[in-house]
């Protein structure tokens, strides 16, 4: 398993619901969460295979949501 931690601009449950069908299309995504209480609106995505972070970022951006790698 590989964990990706991404910064987003997700503000609401509606935007989270917009991502649900996108992530459900990909069997290699085991689970994902969004922390709306965090200042960076952190999106955590756990994959079953060694995926590319850029692929996940592009999937989110295609939904009109800002997304980038969360720098530590």
């Amino acid at each position: 398993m590989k964990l990706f931690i991404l910064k987003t601009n997700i503000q609401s449950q509606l935007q989270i619901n917009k991502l649900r069908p996108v992530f459900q299309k990909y069997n290699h995504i085991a689970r994902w969460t969004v922390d709306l209480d965090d200042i960076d609106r952190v999106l955590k995505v756990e994959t079953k295979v060694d995926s590319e972070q850029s692929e996940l970022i592009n999937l989110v951006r295609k939904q009109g949501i800002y997304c980038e790698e969360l720098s530590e």
Side-chain angles (χ1 to χ4, degrees):
M1 294 276 200
K2 186 163 184 178
L3 179 65
F4 297 95
I5 301 176
L6 306 167
K7 178 179 180 177
T8 72
N9 68 343
I10 296 173
Q11 299 290 321
S12 68
Q13 188 63 45
L14 276 168
Q15 288 177 299
I16 293 171
N17 291 344
K18 201 174 179 183
L19 288 177
R20 186 167 304 172
V22 174
F23 287 150
Q24 286 176 340
K25 288 181 188 177
Y26 296 88
N27 293 331
H28 67 279
I29 295 177
R31 90 184 98 244
W32 60 281
T33 61
V34 177
D35 185 352
L36 291 175
D37 295 326
D38 188 283
I39 194 166
D40 291 320
R41 309 292 194 227
V42 173
L43 167 63
K44 293 182 181 177
V45 180
E46 191 173 338
T47 63
K48 297 176 188 174
V49 296
D50 193 19
S51 300
E52 291 293 324
Q53 180 170 281
S54 60
E55 175 190 3
L56 292 172
I57 290 172
N58 287 333
L59 283 175
V60 175
R61 286 181 178 172
K62 284 181 182 177
Q63 300 310 306
I65 297 170
Y66 169 83
C67 184
E68 71 175 16
E69 179 181 0
L70 182 63
S71 57
E72 296 183 33

